[in-house]
Amino acid sequence: MTGTLKLLRLILRRDRILLPLWALVIGLIPASYIKTFNSIFTTDAERLAYAKTSQNNAGFIALYGPLHGDSLPVMVAWRSGFIPIMIGLFALLTVVRHTRTDEEAGRTELIGATVVGRSAQLAAALIATMAASLVCGLVVAAAMIGNGFDAAGSFAFGAEFTLGGWAFAGVAAIAVQLSGSARGARTIGIIALGIAFVLRVGGDISALGDGKLSFLSWLSPIGWLTHVFPYEHNAAWPMLLALLFSLVTVAAGVLLLGRRDLGAGLIAPRLGRPGASAGLRTPLALAWRLHRGLLIAWTFGFAVLGLVFGGVGSSVDDLADGNQAVTDLFAHLGGRSGLIASYFASIAGIVGLIAACYAVQATLRLRDEEQTGHAETVLSTAVSRNALLGSHLVFSLLGPAVALLAEGVVAGVTYGQGEIGGIIAGTLLQLPAVWVLAAIAVLVFGVLPRWSLVAWAAPAICLLILLVGETLQLNHYLLDISPFTHIPHLPGGSVPATPLVTLTVLAAVLAVLGAAGLRRRNLPD
């Protein structure tokens, strides 16, 4: 692995902002939950009642995992149960970025012309990613110990975060060998992450009933991590399973790397027809062919979210029974009349932010087309740049609408009780904010194409504001950076037109500026 250290330095230089950002910021999120729980539960009796209800709540178990215990440290660790999945996603994307993306762009071939070992680039990407995951875990442990929590439990809690990153860094090491493109590697990795999450959810919810499918949790690295139970059991063997999984997947990735050609993947691309069918002779038809798999996958995922959130809604009344503080919390997060309306209004903001990630991903498909040379080929015909951009923007703008509609319908039907109209309306109201983030991606792609990945910073900042903005009582000027803070709350609130129109106009202006930049720059760039 000659040259690994030099490549590691290069990765750290390229990601000198991104790596510390997600490692440190995500590591500090659990500390914000301490203040939240202390403000909600003013007595031990209230916290114990909440814990008792949550232990048997299928919706909360689906989101955060099983709850064992009722102390404040246990509740904080449980409430953070979804965060290791976020770390796994960041780790996966980081490994793909510094391996398959560089190979696809031709940088790997240039580096390989020097004195560099075949496995050096993969090794450097894994070391950097795993080091960032380790830093994230140490930040968690230090923050918890600083708040007076038990040291052994704090390190077990931090290990959950670290091993979540390590496990899916290993998955990415395999994915980049299987696919011949960065987009394909990301898709394989994200599907693996989704399957791991679904297995964990299915097993843990089954354990509430007859337990016949509870074994599914033990088929998932995410399931292993949720069974560590920091501050209660500090179970070591689930952590050992995750560590072993990481080592095996990394070793498999290195082995597979030696079995493929540079620039190729082990899964051979399917050969296409020698001539285009009638359905592929317009830019929009081609865009549909490129985006349809993504649209179907995201729509299905949003339907699953609707099923989970709708199920949780049916038990929100039980959670707040006799605890005015919980009722006030939901009312503060969103909505103005009725606890259930407030709950679904707050969930709409979360779902909208997830939809924005889909919009950014769909928009950046244009950058993939440019880097692979496909866009240049299309533009060599009578297709204009505006037509090419517009065909993809149809799916960047309307694709999230379809996914949000699916979530709203499924959530409304699952919950029932006459709220379906308000739930769907509240979900679809997130579209102007989603379009703003998609338009930012268009602007970056059109003006600074080499910095296209910076477009992901917009949903990351919005996520940070959503997670800790209110808890840390940030200045309202900082909160207003997120377009989602300007969206009216439904069900349960009024719908003024001004913020919706303003956000839509802002999105249109940003998109027009991006289109103007695309017309004036070289392609590819």
Side-chain angles (χ1 to χ4, degrees):
M1 294 192 297
T2 304
T4 299
L5 291 179
K6 291 183 178 179
L7 289 174
L8 178 60
R9 288 175 57 193
L10 177 61
I11 290 174
L12 295 177
R13 184 177 183 276
R14 291 174 62 189
D15 283 2
R16 59 188 178 274
I17 297 176
L18 188 60
L19 279 179
L21 184 65
W22 70 258
L24 296 176
V25 172
I26 292 180
L28 292 173
I29 289 176
S32 68
Y33 295 147
I34 300 174
K35 182 177 180 180
T36 300
F37 278 116
N38 284 331
S39 63
I40 293 176
F41 307 114
T42 57
T43 66
D44 290 341
E46 290 178 347
R47 189 186 69 249
L48 293 175
Y50 178 88
K52 183 178 180 180
T53 304
S54 299
Q55 286 172 350
N56 299 300
N57 185 291
F60 280 102
I61 288 176
L63 287 174
Y64 310 126
L67 174 60
H68 283 209
D70 50 33
S71 66
L72 177 60
V74 168
M75 298 293 290
V76 170
W78 169 73
R79 179 60 179 79
S80 305
F82 194 80
I83 297 179
I85 301 174
M86 297 167 54
I87 298 174
L89 178 61
F90 282 122
L92 191 155
L93 296 177
T94 301
V95 172
V96 173
R97 164 175 158 78
H98 292 292
T99 52
R100 179 54 73 175
T101 299
D102 283 352
E103 191 170 339
E104 196 173 23
R107 287 188 287 268
T108 299
E109 190 172 6
L110 291 175
I111 293 172
T114 63
V115 185
V116 174
R118 178 70 188 273
S119 303
Q121 190 170 27
L122 177 60
L126 289 171
I127 291 172
T129 303
M130 290 182 164
S133 300
L134 178 60
V135 169
C136 185
L138 292 174
V139 169
V140 172
M144 297 299 103
I145 293 173
N147 279 279
F149 290 3
D150 174 67
S154 297
F155 281 112
F157 188 21
E160 281 192 41
F161 284 53
T162 296
L163 292 171
W166 286 10
F168 287 96
V171 170
I174 296 177
V176 296
Q177 316 311 329
L178 297 178
S179 176
S181 68
R183 182 180 65 253
R186 286 192 292 266
T187 300
I188 292 172
I190 291 173
I191 289 175
L193 181 63
I195 291 174
F197 177 68
V198 170
L199 288 173
R200 198 278 298 165
V201 170
D204 289 343
I205 292 180
S206 175
L208 288 177
D210 56 19
K212 291 182 179 179
L213 297 178
S214 60
F215 69 91
L216 293 176
S217 295
W218 300 104
L219 301 179
S220 164
I222 296 174
W224 304 334
L225 296 177
T226 55
H227 285 77
V228 172
F229 301 127
Y231 305 107
E232 186 68 18
H233 300 307
N234 294 335
W237 66 276
M239 291 188 280
L240 291 176
L241 283 175
L243 178 60
L244 180 61
F245 177 84
S246 304
L247 295 175
V248 170
T249 51
V250 167
V254 174
L255 179 63
L256 294 175
L257 175 62
R259 295 178 179 270
R260 68 174 180 85
D261 294 329
L262 183 66
L266 293 174
I267 300 176
R270 186 177 61 181
L271 296 177
R273 298 179 180 179
S277 63
L280 287 177
R281 293 178 181 173
T282 66
L284 184 60
L286 177 60
W288 161 248
R289 179 68 175 269
L290 295 174
H291 285 271
R292 65 185 181 185
L294 194 65
L295 175 60
I296 292 171
W298 275 94
T299 302
F300 176 78
F302 270 71
V304 173
L305 286 178
L307 189 65
V308 172
F309 290 139
V312 173
S314 62
S315 55
V316 168
D317 280 323
D318 294 334
L319 287 173
D321 187 25
N323 187 346
Q324 184 61 38
V326 176
T327 305
D328 293 341
L329 174 66
F330 281 116
H332 182 62
L333 287 173
R336 298 187 183 128
S337 61
L339 180 60
I340 294 298
S342 300
Y343 164 75
F344 279 109
S346 65
I347 290 302
I350 297 173
V351 173
L353 182 53
I354 299 173
C357 294
Y358 168 32
V360 171
Q361 183 184 12
T363 302
L364 294 185
R365 179 61 192 262
L366 278 163
R367 181 58 178 169
D368 292 338
E369 292 296 292
E370 181 180 0
Q371 289 181 309
T372 57
H374 298 161
E376 191 173 8
T377 301
V378 172
L379 292 175
S380 65
T381 66
V383 176
S384 67
R385 295 192 182 193
N386 283 340
L388 177 65
L389 176 63
S391 64
H392 285 269
L393 285 184
V394 168
F395 297 92
S396 300
L397 302 179
L398 298 185
V402 174
L404 286 171
L405 179 62
E407 193 279 336
V409 170
V410 174
V413 171
T414 302
Y415 175 68
Q417 302 187 31
E419 290 285 348
I420 185 171
I423 293 172
I424 294 174
T427 304
L428 291 179
L429 274 179
Q430 309 301 313
L431 278 173
V434 172
W435 290 340
V436 169
L437 269 62
I440 291 174
V442 175
L443 178 64
V444 177
F445 166 72
V447 178
L448 298 170
R450 296 183 183 181
W451 290 82
S452 292
L453 289 178
V454 174
W456 286 107
I461 291 172
C462 293
L463 175 62
L464 182 63
I465 292 174
L466 175 68
L467 290 175
V468 300
E470 294 288 350
T471 301
L472 298 181
Q473 297 180 346
L474 297 179
N475 186 282
H476 72 90
Y477 292 110
L478 293 176
L479 296 177
D480 287 345
I481 292 175
S482 171
F484 293 95
T485 61
H486 304 280
I487 296 295
H489 297 301
L490 278 182
S494 60
V495 186
T498 301
L500 300 177
V501 173
T502 301
L503 290 174
T504 302
V505 171
L506 176 61
V509 170
L510 293 174
V512 169
L513 292 176
L518 178 62
R519 288 198 304 270
R520 286 169 172 75
R521 69 172 175 85
N522 293 329
L523 194 74
D525 193 355

